[in-house]
């Protein structure tokens, strides 16, 4: 099966992906596929999780990077490679280069999480911190390539990258031959394009559905326009799919072979990450959890059996802490509120006694006494509570109001 691509690149075919699979033998792991009883009950059909978060370097990116660098001519290898990334692509390029004996330089934003910077260095790359946004980092890497002759390794807009990522699709068909729907997160589009090439050639009946974060969804307007278009200021916690413009090569594949592109909210992303951690015991980054977020948002929209690709697990611990708190709040298991009470001995103890009867676990208490909006004998108390769900949250708020407290959300 051949199909049109934009630009000077050659079309990809199934044999390209199969060749990449042979090349990656012994390099990339055949990642496990785990069943999810909870998601299966929601969807009404078997749901399996393809765990690329357990891949070497913590994401699927090693696959494409290794295939791309393997295909370089000897003189190109001698010049070294350069990449720009905030995390996953950086680590994939660094490890692939080390395995192939190629010198690598990776540009990362100044604010990149320290664990990702350290991991990229540990895999053997020279890391240069430049710029505060990815566009600035990308420009610096491309300038370095022009100045030094190093080969720029694009994160998604190259046929070799896409062929490498497509090996995920071959593994899915081998591990779950009865699959009817494959759900894949989309940033620039390399992963979903590669999976679509492999899957549609072998099983054209299988639906391939892409997922983007609402605040960084460049594919819906691009598909509507019939060409890749840029969106301004993409914003999402899912930095792995925070891309402002589709790649030319993956876009053409997505346009022809991907059945649908959906979007998910930030609340859905945080809830999905929490579910992966609690129910599946899997550490997944927000981009990797985007597929689970789509299943949670509209569970009956997917024909089963379903395979949801967990594309990565590299998440900064501090970000994880914030996301989990956000996810608990979205699930009604974390309640923040403020109360006005009299500034006298025993007032706080009385309040805490009421919360104890309501079985709301107090995580944190803060006092404000200097706000000019407060009366002379008033104090404002900020409470962070662990609750049992939306109904329990409503019960807590109702009981506090009945007790005479002024509740401020």
């Amino acid at each position: 099966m051949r199909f049109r691509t934009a630009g000077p690149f050659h079309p990809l075919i199934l044999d390209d992906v199969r060749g990449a699979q042979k090349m990656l033998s012994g390099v990339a792991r055949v990642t496990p596929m785990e069943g999810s009883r909870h998601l299966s009950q929601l969807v009404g059909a078997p749901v399996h999780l393809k765990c690329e978060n357990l891949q070497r370097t913590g994401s699927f990116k090693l696959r494409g990077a290794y295939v791309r660098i393997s295909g370089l001519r000897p003189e190109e290898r001698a010049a070294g490679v350069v990449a720009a990334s905030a995390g996953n692509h950086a680590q994939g390029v660094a490890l692939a280069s080390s395995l192939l004996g190629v010198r690598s330089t990776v540009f990362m934003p100044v604010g990149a999480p320290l664990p990702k910077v350290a991991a990229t260095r540990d895999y053997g790359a020279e890391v240069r911190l430049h710029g505060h946004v990815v566009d600035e980092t990308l420009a610096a890497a491309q300038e370095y390539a022009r100045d030094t002759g190093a080969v720029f390794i694009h994160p998604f807009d190259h046929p070799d990258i896409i062929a490498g990522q497509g090996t995920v699709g071959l593994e899915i068909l081998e591990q779950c031959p009865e699959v009817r729907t494959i759900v894949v997160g989309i940033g620039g589009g390399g992963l979903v394009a590669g999976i679509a090439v492999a899957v549609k050639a072998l099983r054209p009946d299988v639906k391939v559905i892409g997922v983007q974060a609402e605040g960084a969804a460049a594919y819906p307007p691009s598909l509507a326009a019939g060409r890749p278009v840029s969106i301004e200021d993409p914003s999402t916690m899912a930095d792995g799919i925070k891309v402002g413009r589709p790649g030319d090569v993956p876009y053409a594949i997505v346009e022809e072979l991907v059945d649908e592109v959906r979007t998910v909210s930030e609340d859905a992303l945080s809830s999905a990450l929490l579910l992966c951690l609690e129910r599946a015991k899997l550490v997944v980054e927000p981009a990797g959890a985007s597929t689970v977020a789509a299943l949670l948002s509209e569970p009956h929209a997917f024909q089963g059996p379903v395979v949801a690709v967990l594309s990565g697990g590299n998440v900064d611990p501090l970000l994880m802490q914030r996301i989990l708190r956000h996810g608990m709040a979205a699930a009604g298991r974390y309640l923040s509120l403020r109360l006005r009470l009299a500034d006298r001995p025993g007032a706080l103890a009385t309040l805490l006694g009421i919360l104890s009867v309501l079985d709301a676990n107090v995580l944190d208490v803060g006092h404000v006494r200097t706000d000019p909006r407060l009366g002379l004998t008033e104090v404002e108390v900020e409470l962070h509570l662990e609750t049992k769900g939306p109904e329990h949250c409503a019960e807590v708020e109702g009981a506090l109001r009945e007790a005479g407290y002024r509740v401020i959300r």
Side-chain angles (χ1 to χ4, degrees):
M1 178 185 296
R2 291 184 176 272
F3 46 85
R4 170 178 54 83
T5 59
F9 303 112
H10 295 290
L12 273 75
I13 59 175
L14 176 62
D15 284 347
D16 296 321
V17 183
R18 283 178 166 158
Q21 188 177 45
K22 292 179 181 177
M23 194 178 297
L24 288 167
S25 178
V27 176
R29 294 175 181 147
V30 176
T31 51
M33 188 173 290
E34 301 288 343
S36 172
R37 186 175 66 174
H38 180 71
L39 289 173
S40 297
Q41 290 173 341
L42 287 177
V43 172
V47 175
H48 306 278
L49 306 176
K50 176 61 172 169
C51 300
E52 280 297 290
N53 59 310
L54 302 180
Q55 183 58 262
R56 297 178 71 179
T57 75
S59 87
F60 69 96
K61 290 288 189 177
L62 171 65
R63 297 174 184 262
Y66 189 89
V67 172
R68 173 76 174 100
I69 297 169
S70 293
L72 298 179
R73 299 186 302 273
E75 61 271 23
E76 291 176 319
R77 291 194 185 199
V81 299
V82 61
S85 169
N88 289 346
H89 181 58
Q91 294 173 65
V93 168
L95 179 57
S97 300
S98 294
L99 294 172
L100 292 164
V102 176
R103 184 179 70 257
S104 64
T105 303
V106 176
F107 284 77
M108 303 182 76
V110 172
L114 293 179
K116 294 185 178 183
V117 174
T120 303
R121 287 195 175 111
D122 288 345
Y123 287 128
E126 177 190 348
V127 174
R128 299 192 179 191
L129 301 177
H130 185 94
H132 295 279
V133 295
V134 174
D135 287 344
E136 295 173 352
T137 308
L138 180 62
Q142 292 172 327
E143 182 180 0
Y144 178 89
R146 289 191 295 269
D147 292 344
T148 65
V151 178
F152 179 68
I153 307 298
H154 199 284
F156 50 82
D157 205 10
H158 193 280
D160 290 348
I161 294 286
I162 295 171
Q165 321 304 28
T167 60
V168 176
L170 294 180
E171 290 179 16
I172 289 172
L173 294 183
E174 292 166 1
Q175 293 171 311
C176 185
E178 69 277 14
V179 63
R180 297 304 303 274
T181 304
I182 299 174
V183 190
V184 190
I186 302 183
L191 177 61
V192 74
I195 289 175
V197 169
V199 170
K200 290 295 187 176
L202 294 169
R203 288 280 308 279
D205 61 302
V206 174
K207 284 191 174 183
V208 178
I209 297 178
V211 182
Q212 292 206 288
E214 286 178 354
Y219 264 91
S222 296
L223 292 169
R227 58 181 174 79
V229 299
S230 299
I231 58 172
E232 293 185 4
D233 300 323
S235 176
T236 175
M237 70 175 76
D239 57 350
I241 54 174
K242 184 181 175 182
V243 178
R245 182 186 185 277
D248 290 334
V249 182
Y251 171 80
I253 299 170
V254 170
E255 184 181 43
E256 181 156 349
L257 296 181
V258 172
D259 295 278
E260 183 184 356
V261 175
R262 291 174 166 263
T263 61
V264 293
S265 68
E266 298 296 286
D267 280 352
L269 286 169
S270 57
S271 295
L273 188 146
L274 182 62
L275 184 144
C276 288
L277 188 64
E278 285 192 325
R279 296 298 184 98
K281 314 306 177 189
L282 292 168
V283 176
V284 182
E285 62 189 273
S290 62
T291 54
V292 175
L295 297 179
L296 292 176
S297 299
E298 290 190 72
H300 299 299
F302 301 88
Q303 184 180 12
V306 178
V307 172
V309 179
L310 306 181
S311 58
N314 293 316
V315 57
D316 179 66
L318 294 177
L319 176 61
M320 171 74 88
Q321 185 180 39
R322 293 198 298 270
I323 292 172
L324 289 178
R325 181 168 288 188
H326 186 83
M328 290 180 68
R333 294 173 48 201
Y334 185 88
L335 178 62
S336 295
L337 46 82
R338 290 175 293 140
L339 304 170
R340 299 275 177 89
L341 41 133
D343 189 10
R344 63 170 182 264
L348 180 59
T350 301
L351 171 61
L352 295 179
I354 294 172
L355 294 173
S356 176
V357 172
L358 294 168
D359 203 20
N361 186 32
V362 179
L363 300 176
D364 192 24
V365 179
H367 287 77
V368 176
R369 286 187 168 88
T370 57
D371 193 315
R373 293 172 298 178
L374 293 173
L376 187 62
T377 60
E378 280 187 318
V379 62
E380 187 170 278
V381 174
E382 183 176 1
L383 295 168
H384 299 280
L385 309 173
E386 183 181 3
T387 48
K388 300 175 182 179
E391 292 182 359
H392 191 207
C393 288
E395 179 189 351
V396 169
E397 288 194 50
L400 290 174
R401 288 192 172 96
E402 285 183 9
Y405 293 100
R406 180 184 172 190
V407 178
I408 307 169
R409 290 297 300 270

